[in-house]
Amino acid sequence: MHISRYQGGHISDLRVNEQIRAREVRLVGPQGEQVGIVSLDKALQLAADVDLDLVEVAPNARPPVCKLMDFGKHKYETALKAREARRNQQQTVIKEMKLRPKIDGHDYETKKGHVVRFLKAGDKVKITIMFRGREQSRPELGLRLLKKLGDEVSELGVVESAPKQDGRNMIMVLAPHRTKQAMATAPRPGKNSDEAAQAESE
């Protein structure tokens, strides 16, 4: 008789080999072929003959449906699919970078560097231009700066939300080109980078 490699408890809520309690089962072959209704002992013997496991895939059927398969491989593939699904469900982080409309060249390049790192890590970036005093009467300065930044990082991201005025600020959102799956596996910027970006935003 086939000796179960999975004795000692239920795995993935499926009964395997000697865990199966029915006297007879509707047997499905490893390629999905219908073998028919056979006794449990015969089904276990058939599994042993081909070095596979007998897995109860539909316990509520009468008789229960069992399939011949490599249960270890099945568990591994199921775990991979579940992990991939979790990765695909990860939400994109939105970072924020603040600039002044009359920012000097050095500060601009520093902040652009942070934007580049965020986009490479798969994060969206909210760019905020902060107007103060008389600067509020020159919205074209903010538009020009946002367009320049968008053009310079166009290989990494696209403008997801066009520049718009929000009180004394002007906001634009950049999104990375890469797919969500690729973003989930990309290295993310470290804590020091985030702290540096925050410090630069003040």
Side-chain angles (χ1 to χ4, degrees):
M1 180 166 295
H2 186 40
I3 302 299
S4 172
R5 286 170 279 172
Y6 302 96
Q7 295 180 8
H10 297 282
I11 297 178
S12 302
D13 296 326
L14 296 177
R15 294 190 182 101
V16 183
N17 299 324
E18 282 76 17
Q19 295 173 353
I20 300 171
R21 301 169 184 170
R23 293 184 178 180
E24 60 180 18
V25 300
R26 184 178 298 277
L27 186 63
V28 178
Q31 304 303 321
E33 65 275 18
Q34 297 292 327
V35 177
I37 298 175
V38 300
S39 69
L40 178 61
D41 286 344
K42 182 176 181 180
L44 288 170
Q45 185 58 55
L46 290 172
D49 290 345
V50 293
D51 195 27
L52 292 174
D53 298 291
L54 183 67
V55 181
E56 190 179 52
V57 294
N60 295 326
R62 291 291 178 268
V65 179
C66 294
K67 184 175 182 180
L68 299 176
M69 68 171 73
D70 183 335
F71 191 54
K73 180 180 179 181
H74 170 74
K75 285 202 312 170
Y76 175 74
E77 291 176 347
T78 299
L80 279 182
K81 290 178 181 179
R83 186 158 58 244
E84 189 65 29
R86 287 195 297 271
R87 286 178 177 175
N88 290 338
Q89 290 170 358
Q90 287 186 353
Q91 295 183 353
T92 301
V93 175
I94 298 181
K95 302 288 187 177
E96 182 172 16
M97 186 60 56
K98 297 179 180 179
L99 295 79
R100 295 292 306 280
K102 295 182 180 180
I103 187 172
D104 66 48
H106 175 74
D107 286 344
Y108 171 80
E109 291 299 327
T110 299
K111 290 177 181 291
K112 185 178 75 172
H114 292 311
V115 172
V116 166
R117 283 196 292 275
F118 293 149
L119 290 173
K120 284 183 177 180
D123 298 326
K124 294 183 180 181
V125 188
K126 175 182 176 183
I127 311 296
T128 301
I129 305 293
M130 303 179 296
F131 295 93
R132 294 179 183 174
R134 296 180 180 179
E135 292 174 347
Q136 295 180 60
S137 63
R138 302 284 307 278
E140 69 276 8
L141 295 177
L143 285 170
R144 189 180 306 138
L145 185 59
L146 290 175
K147 184 179 186 307
K148 176 184 177 182
L149 180 59
D151 289 344
E152 292 181 357
V153 299
S154 60
E155 291 186 1
L156 297 172
V158 296
V159 176
E160 182 179 80
S161 178
K164 64 180 179 180
Q165 197 77 27
D166 182 15
R168 290 192 286 181
N169 297 330
M170 183 175 289
I171 296 171
M172 177 179 77
V173 177
L174 296 171
H177 284 304
R178 293 177 295 169
T179 64
K180 202 170 187 179
Q181 180 179 357
M183 287 190 291
T185 58
R188 308 185 67 80
K191 181 177 179 182
N192 291 338
S193 295
D194 290 348
E195 291 177 348
Q198 182 64 32
E200 287 292 335
S201 298
E202 300 301 328

